[in-house]
Amino acid sequence: MGGLRAEALGKVFADGTRALEGVSFEAEPGRVLGLLGPSGCGKSTLLRIVAGLESATEGRLFLDGERFDERPPGARGVGFVFQNYALYPHLDVRRNLSLALEVQGLGEEEIAARVRDTAARLGLEGLLERRPRQLSGGQQQRVALGRALARRPRLFLMDEPLSNLDALLRESMRSELKALFRSLDAIVLYVTHDQAEALSLADEVLVLRDGQVRQRAAPLDLYRRPADLFTASFVGSPRMTLWHGAREGAELVVGRARVPIPPAVSGGDLWVGMRPEDVEVLDAPASGAWPARVVVAEPTGDRILLTLDVAGQSLRALAAARAWPEDVYLRVQDARLHWFDAGSTKRVEPR
């Protein structure tokens, strides 16, 4: 079977607000496509268009090579998991799982079998008689997921399903979801504003900003080769340090700091990016190292996040968890630097 394909989707609301512009992608069965971006970038609107809850004003949707956007919502075979779970408060877990199957007209034995299978898969067997108010946030999330799963849809749409959970529970649910997705031969679109969630769960990530696609890539490619300045600043934790400067010969001048520019990098005004984990911190002078002063030290466990002053410029580095002197030295390998054209904000790739 084929996948889901979007061609140049656009959405303009009645008040003239443009939510999406020229959004194209493909999503394949058995894989998770993460939709990542800040609040208001169009992620949820895109999901609602796929579900049929909104209509695109431009573009087309296809499933298995056939027009998908022309089908009514009830005929799209979509399992939607909402941010707020949207459980029926007056029904117990069993009925929350079975109600959509009853509406579909399935027989009692088939419904009972699907509820048993879903409950077993999600660890809900002992909760079937409880109502949503008697469940924890993680249990409610499992029920919301189970309600979609019981329908056995071709297409799962997940709209920030973990955002209401605390940090520890969110982390454990990420691993559970990843294991579940691996067992499904369904198309999964997963919306989140949390880049750690997108990178850990998705096979590919679609980065959106202001309703436009900024990059589509596998998680590691997105991290290693961000296509533009926005993606570089949005993906990665702690965030990349970005300096803006002007070329003087073979160097980028950023205030009083100077960064050697690789020969193949063109352009006058440039941005240079350095991920904190790529900055080597030394307590003695070394070849190619910059003198720096420690401004703030934030222990994070086995490493410490240092905010440093380098010739008047701020830079962050992840270093070994130890007591660092105030005066240190920093070194970043040329291959670990990220270069962006200041005009277009696009990545400039050294050859």
Side-chain angles (χ1 to χ4, degrees):
M1 292 186 291
L4 178 73
R5 186 173 84 253
E7 292 184 352
L9 292 180
K11 176 67 178 179
V12 180
F13 288 105
D15 64 358
T17 302
R18 178 169 285 277
L20 296 172
E21 182 177 357
V23 173
S24 299
F25 64 85
E26 292 184 9
E28 302 171 2
R31 294 174 63 81
V32 179
L33 179 64
L35 307 179
L36 174 66
S39 297
C41 72
K43 305 182 302 293
S44 294
T45 299
L46 179 56
L47 216 62
R48 290 174 62 83
I49 287 173
V50 175
L53 304 178
E54 297 274 1
S55 297
T57 48
E58 304 158 4
R60 300 181 297 176
L61 274 173
F62 296 86
L63 183 68
D64 301 332
E66 298 180 358
R67 286 294 292 269
F68 188 61
D69 48 354
E70 295 176 345
R71 300 183 193 177
R76 296 194 183 191
V78 165
F80 207 130
V81 181
F82 295 91
Q83 181 177 352
N84 62 359
Y85 313 137
L87 301 177
Y88 298 107
H90 61 292
L91 300 180
D92 61 18
V93 170
R94 188 186 305 277
R95 287 298 309 286
N96 266 282
L97 295 178
S98 68
L99 188 59
L101 305 179
E102 295 169 17
V103 171
Q104 285 182 324
L106 299 182
E108 290 185 9
E109 291 186 6
E110 175 67 14
I111 291 175
R114 289 200 189 187
V115 169
R116 282 196 305 271
D117 176 69
T118 301
R121 179 175 287 200
L122 297 175
L124 297 172
E125 300 101 315
L127 306 175
L128 291 174
E129 312 308 322
R130 296 189 189 181
R131 294 192 176 183
R133 67 175 179 272
Q134 299 171 295
L135 304 176
S136 68
Q139 290 167 339
Q140 290 184 47
Q141 195 274 340
R142 285 189 180 90
V143 176
L145 183 61
R147 187 172 56 187
L149 191 63
R151 297 179 60 193
R152 299 179 181 172
R154 284 283 319 281
L155 183 57
F156 279 93
L157 306 179
M158 312 195 76
D159 192 5
E160 306 211 39
L162 306 184
S163 61
N164 291 332
L165 304 181
D166 63 54
L168 287 176
L169 188 53
R170 196 159 60 238
E171 184 177 329
S172 66
M173 285 304 302
R174 280 207 306 259
S175 61
E176 290 185 28
L177 280 177
K178 186 153 192 172
L180 175 64
F181 293 156
R182 289 285 178 265
S183 70
L184 300 174
D185 189 29
I187 300 163
V188 180
L189 300 187
Y190 192 102
V191 161
T192 181
H193 67 274
D194 183 331
Q195 50 97 13
E197 200 169 298
L199 296 182
S200 64
L201 278 171
D203 297 291
E204 283 192 299
V205 180
L206 198 74
V207 179
L208 293 167
R209 187 189 189 193
D210 298 332
Q212 297 179 326
V213 176
R214 304 303 290 262
Q215 187 172 0
R216 178 190 173 186
L220 281 179
D221 291 336
L222 197 68
Y223 170 82
R224 290 172 177 163
R225 297 183 65 251
D228 61 16
L229 201 61
F230 167 74
T231 306
S233 67
F234 193 75
V235 174
S237 181
R239 291 195 174 183
M240 182 185 290
T241 296
L242 290 160
W243 289 353
H244 177 222
R247 178 191 289 269
E248 283 189 10
E251 292 182 317
L252 185 72
V253 179
V254 186
R256 291 184 288 110
R258 289 177 174 266
V259 185
I261 302 174
V265 171
S266 60
D269 286 355
L270 296 164
W271 288 85
V272 63
M274 295 159 279
R275 292 204 182 278
E277 54 270 35
D278 291 334
V279 179
E280 183 183 7
V281 183
L282 309 166
D283 51 13
S287 175
W290 304 325
R293 180 174 57 84
V294 175
V295 178
V296 178
E298 303 172 67
T300 62
D302 66 336
R303 293 201 282 180
I304 189 166
L305 179 62
L306 302 176
T307 301
L308 305 123
D309 181 281
V310 183
Q313 303 302 312
S314 180
L315 183 149
R316 296 203 297 173
L318 275 174
R322 47 161 285 197
W324 288 94
E326 183 178 5
D327 294 316
V328 296
Y329 297 85
L330 309 178
R331 188 165 54 190
V332 186
Q333 296 178 21
D334 289 348
R336 297 287 187 177
L337 296 174
H338 302 262
W339 296 93
F340 304 92
D341 180 80
S344 68
T345 76
K346 299 296 184 183
R347 183 180 185 86
V348 181
E349 197 71 72
R351 292 186 296 274

